[in-house]
Amino acid sequence: MRLEAITWDRLAELLADRLTELAPADGGAWPRVGFDGAPAARPGDLAERVGEALRLRGRPSLVVGAEGFLRPASLRLEHGRRDAESYYSGWFDTGALWREVFGPLDPGGSGRVLPDLWDPATDRATRSLYVQLPPGGILLFHGPLLLRHWFPFDLTVHVLLSAGALRRRTPEADHWTLPAFERYESETDPAGTADVLVRADDPRHPAWGG
């Protein structure tokens, strides 16, 4: 895929323009967009920018992060605090995501989404209130390793970092997660699978294609 230099603001504008025309593939009322990337790539920042651009266009949206659906520490840290295999396959409560985020946006669903479930800092339920996403409202879901879960996204955006940039921008205390992203790239090929690719090795000068 040929990538072109762009600014983050311009990228958000172009994505928002595209999303205003996006129709759910399943015939439902709520388009669902995935912003995939390692924490160091900050896909949530792009999701927030797109959400603001949609707001200025009068289009409702809801930004939801996978980090709000971590499993309790007793489960995700069962094999230790630095187990890459657990991070890859067991840190996120995918069952809760299907039940509380994606299921309500199925055709005939309620549109009533829980924005987060678990606070990793306190290791307790957040007790957040449900948010009613009106018909036509867009889910902007962000997090790592998303494209391996078969979530029903109508558009996917992968924020790519080279192996070197990922290592440089990941805090040293989190370097134990790097093998999980190597495996993800090998097994899932997010750069080749996503509808939109954003390269962010230099966070000041992104490039994109899609």
Coordinates of all heavy atoms in Angstrom, one line a residue, residues 2 25 36 53 55:
R2 N 0.6 2.2 -0.9 CA 1.4 3.4 -1.0 C 0.9 4.4 0.1 O -0.3 4.6 0.2 CB 1.2 4.0 -2.3 CG 2.0 5.3 -2.5 CD 1.9 5.8 -4.0 NE 2.7 7.0 -4.1 CZ 2.1 8.2 -4.0 NH1 0.8 8.4 -3.7 NH2 2.9 9.3 -4.2
A25 N -22.3 -3.1 7.5 CA -22.4 -4.3 6.6 C -23.5 -5.2 7.0 O -24.0 -5.9 6.1 CB -21.1 -5.0 6.6
D36 N -6.8 0.1 15.7 CA -5.9 -1.0 16.2 C -4.5 -0.5 16.3 O -4.0 0.2 15.4 CB -6.0 -2.2 15.3 CG -5.1 -3.3 15.6 OD1 -5.2 -3.8 16.8 OD2 -4.2 -3.6 14.8
A53 N -14.0 15.4 15.2 CA -14.3 15.8 13.8 C -15.7 15.4 13.5 O -16.5 16.1 12.8 CB -13.3 15.2 12.8
R55 N -18.2 15.1 15.6 CA -19.1 16.0 16.4 C -19.3 17.3 15.7 O -20.4 17.8 15.6 CB -18.4 16.3 17.8 CG -19.3 17.1 18.7 CD -18.6 17.5 20.0 NE -17.6 18.5 19.7 CZ -17.7 19.8 19.5 NH1 -19.0 20.3 19.5 NH2 -16.7 20.6 19.3

